[in-house]
Amino acid sequence: MIVSPKQIGKILGGRAIVGRRVRTLGDLDELVRGGLPKAALNALIDRLKTAGEAEFAVRLRNGIVPRATYHRVERLNRQASETVERLARLYAIVLAAFEDPQAASRFLCSPHAELGNRIPLEVALTEIGGRIVEEVIERGLHGLPA
């Protein structure tokens, strides 16, 4: 399932947080290359927290940006920005599939059998892991076996 850059931009907090409209992949790429504001990570984490996943959300944040760095910087480096964008994209995909923010968060924050009982968002902290999670989502959407 393909989601638009605009949807990803909204998940990252929209214009108020990222500082500009996100309409194209080029817009999104510029944001990531320049370093997303720390508030974009917070916007994503807040979406997960609303589904009762507060403890996991904090653990996830610490997996993306070390605690000391998080408190010291206002902008994420490119690697952390790419990770945040990847997780926001996965959230957008699952949200489009489930059409329920709580169900999307539960899916992404709960162990999944097809991932060796690992949590999708933790698997997706790497680019390859993100692709694996996308494949699991796509198979689920189309009723394909693992």
Side-chain angles (χ1 to χ4, degrees), residues 21-63:
R21 285 188 182 155
V22 177
R23 291 182 246 171
T24 67
L25 283 174
D27 293 341
L28 196 53
D29 185 54
E30 282 182 40
L31 282 172
V32 169
R33 285 177 180 275
L36 288 171
K38 177 172 60 175
L41 170 58
N42 295 337
L44 175 61
I45 296 298
D46 286 345
R47 288 180 180 270
L48 300 173
K49 283 182 183 178
T50 60
E53 302 292 348
E55 182 181 322
F56 174 76
V58 171
R59 222 174 60 232
L60 180 67
R61 184 190 72 208
N62 293 337

Side-chain angles (χ1 to χ4, degrees), residues 83 86-87 90 118 121-133:
T83 301
R86 180 182 321 114
L87 300 182
L90 287 172
R118 294 181 298 158
L121 287 180
E122 288 180 339
V123 172
L125 289 175
T126 66
E127 176 64 30
I128 293 172
R131 291 181 198 177
I132 293 167
V133 173

Side-chain angles (χ1 to χ4, degrees), residues 109-123:
C109 298
S110 301
H112 195 283
E114 287 186 56
L115 299 171
N117 287 319
R118 294 181 298 158
I119 295 170
L121 287 180
E122 288 180 339
V123 172

Side-chain angles (χ1 to χ4, degrees), residues 11-13 17-18 36-45 74 76 84 88:
I11 289 167
L12 294 173
I17 289 181
V18 298
L36 288 171
K38 177 172 60 175
L41 170 58
N42 295 337
L44 175 61
I45 296 298
E74 287 305 313
L76 305 175
V84 171

